[in-house]
Amino acid sequence: MEVEDLRTFVEVADAGGVSPAARRLNLAKSIVSRRLSRLEDELGVQLLARTTRGAALTEAGVTFRDHAARMFAELEAAREEILPAGELRGRLRLAAPSSFGPEYFAPALAQLAKRHPLLSVNVHFSDRYVDLVGEGYDCGIRVGYLPDSNLVARRIGTFAVSLFASPDYISEHGVPASPDEIADHPAVMIASEKWKFSRGGKTVEVHPHGRFKADSAVAIGEATAEGVGIAALPDVIAARFVEAGRLRAIMADWSLPSVGIFVVRPPGQHLARKVRVLTELLLQQFGGG
């Protein structure tokens, strides 16, 4: 039984069809179909029922999917153990936030690819929290206050956060002097947010309100720079606007908690060495926070 046949079957099962699985694997559809047929011939059962809309697992396919995933993971782990020390191969598929990824995470990803020429690195940049399991990712990089989930998370660093407004907004509307004045100002934010301010051992939590929301920190920075409202932004995102004179830090005597930077991966006992090596590179860059 070929390792790649097992992997291909799991990808097709999780992606819901040959075409999306072929895109994930960067393979021609004909190769994916041939691997599936070879696996079914070897097992003597039909694993997938092909339809015009994709592929659905048969009863045998449902039973075999989890076994195939475990077998592939075990074989990958064994292969890693016998490879020369430090050598990585195969494919690393990961998701990273587009607001931060190209600038802050791409250097480490490029370094990983340069150090390991047998490793294929496939990165998807999006500010949407992708479904790592359902969409077939080995891991993801996430920035923020990590919500509860069944994912395994490792903190690799933090980004400091401050409150910002544009010079035009400040001259026209003024700025809040304390957390209890936040309600008098429109907020620019991702969704329903909580801002937790601290000063001198005192912590105050406020729930800002506003009419501009976006899933991109850069978009929030742009709207704030245009004077739509005030925003809590990572300093690294606000820096370009501050340097251009489009944003100013406000309420600097109150502090906001930093946002975490995490490497997250699907649950499971085996940590792939390629994910571990990437995590170590990012820890070197961000210091662990």
Side-chain angles (χ1 to χ4, degrees):
M1 189 174 296
E2 297 288 336
V3 176
E4 290 304 323
D5 293 353
L6 291 173
R7 176 189 178 189
T8 300
F9 166 65
V10 173
E11 290 282 6
V12 173
D14 292 348
V18 171
S19 295
R23 288 192 293 270
R24 287 185 184 184
L25 293 166
N26 293 322
L27 293 173
K29 289 168 57 178
S30 59
I31 295 176
V32 173
S33 296
R34 186 160 61 247
R35 288 179 177 177
L36 287 174
S37 297
R38 184 167 59 198
L39 183 61
E40 289 177 325
D41 288 344
E42 188 167 352
L43 292 171
V45 296
Q46 184 178 358
L47 299 172
L48 290 150
R50 283 77 165 176
T51 69
T52 55
R53 294 184 177 182
L57 291 176
T58 63
E59 185 177 350
V62 171
T63 301
F64 187 66
R65 188 266 168 214
D66 290 341
H67 290 290
R70 284 196 297 271
M71 284 189 286
F72 176 69
E74 296 261 347
L75 289 166
E76 282 289 281
R79 186 160 61 180
E80 283 186 348
E81 290 297 324
I82 64 174
L83 284 173
E87 183 176 320
L88 299 177
R89 68 174 66 216
R91 181 194 63 162
L92 175 64
R93 189 167 188 260
L94 69 146
S98 59
S99 291
F100 301 88
E103 184 172 357
Y104 295 99
F105 303 131
L109 299 173
Q111 189 177 22
L112 180 71
K114 184 177 180 180
R115 290 183 183 180
H116 303 279
L118 298 179
L119 180 68
S120 174
V121 179
N122 188 335
V123 191
H124 174 65
F125 289 112
S126 172
D127 284 321
R128 174 180 66 88
Y129 274 14
V130 302
D131 178 357
L132 298 182
V133 177
E135 297 181 45
Y137 287 93
D138 297 298
C139 65
I141 302 172
R142 292 186 175 170
V143 176
Y145 308 110
L146 202 64
D148 292 336
S149 74
N150 65 342
L151 298 176
V152 179
R154 173 70 185 274
R155 181 188 287 266
I156 58 171
T158 59
F159 285 133
V161 176
S162 304
L163 203 62
F164 294 92
S166 72
D168 289 344
Y169 181 91
I170 294 170
S171 66
E172 184 175 352
H173 303 284
V175 295
S178 62
D180 60 356
E181 295 182 11
I182 293 290
D184 299 329
H185 296 267
V188 183
M189 52 192 173
I190 293 177
S192 297
E193 295 183 11
K194 294 183 293 185
W195 294 349
K196 190 177 292 185
F197 295 93
S198 300
R199 186 178 70 176
K202 178 183 179 182
T203 299
V204 180
E205 185 175 281
V206 299
H207 296 262
H209 298 281
R211 60 187 176 83
F212 190 101
K213 298 180 181 180
D215 64 358
S216 164
V218 173
I220 289 172
E222 190 65 49
T224 308
E226 288 295 325
V228 175
I230 63 175
L233 283 167
D235 291 355
V236 294
I237 295 294
R240 69 197 75 174
F241 298 101
V242 172
E243 291 171 4
R246 301 181 65 203
L247 283 181
R248 291 180 190 168
I250 60 174
M251 248 177 70
D253 54 336
W254 289 85
S255 63
L256 287 161
S258 298
V259 293
I261 312 168
F262 303 90
V263 174
V264 295
R265 61 181 176 87
Q269 292 186 347
H270 173 65
L271 170 61
R273 188 150 61 95
K274 56 193 175 185
V275 176
R276 184 171 69 247
V277 170
L278 171 63
T279 302
E280 290 168 355
L281 280 175
L282 291 168
L283 279 168
Q284 291 173 14
Q285 179 178 344
F286 293 103

